Structure formats: structure tokens, C-alpha cells
Amino acid sequence: MSSTYASFDELWNGYLAGIGPAGAYCVSLSDEQRAAVRAELFRRLGSPTGSFSLDALARSASGRSPG
């Protein structure tokens, strides 16, 4: 599965909206901390200047306790 974004800002706006745990964390930060997280994410994604896609992988496990 993959998600395609028109720009880095499209991805980043989801975080600013507080979507999911990462978004909730992001909006709890100070402006300075949020800017640092944004810059690091942009860098780790290869500083995209146009559209890009991110692949996702979901894993799940279940178990039972004996008894």
C-alpha cells in the first residue's frame, strides 16, 4: 500500500490537523519544536520538491495466555 502526496506540505498539513498519534504529538509542541520536527521529516524524506509516494506496511499479531 502506498500514499501519494502532491507536495511535502500536503503531508505536513495532516500533522498540523492533529490527525492520529503523530499529529496529536505534533500539535502539542511549541512552534520552535514543531519547526525542528518539520525540518527533520523533510530531510529524512529526501527533501521532496514535487509529488512523492510513501509505502506502508501493517503488521498484526495476536496471542493467548495459557490457562
Side-chain angles (χ1 to χ4, degrees):
M1 176 178 192
S2 67
S3 295
T4 301
Y5 300 92
S7 67
F8 178 78
D9 286 334
E10 182 182 358
L11 171 66
W12 184 247
N13 286 336
Y15 291 104
L16 296 181
I19 297 170
Y25 171 74
C26 187
V27 297
S28 75
L29 300 173
S30 70
D31 289 344
E32 183 178 286
Q33 292 169 318
R34 196 168 25 260
V37 169
R38 184 189 190 284
E40 181 62 15
L41 178 60
F42 185 73
R43 184 191 71 77
R44 287 186 183 208
L45 292 176
S47 305
T49 57
S51 67
F52 64 98
S53 296
L54 295 176
D55 293 329
L57 174 67
R59 297 178 191 227
S60 177
S62 64
R64 291 185 177 174
S65 63

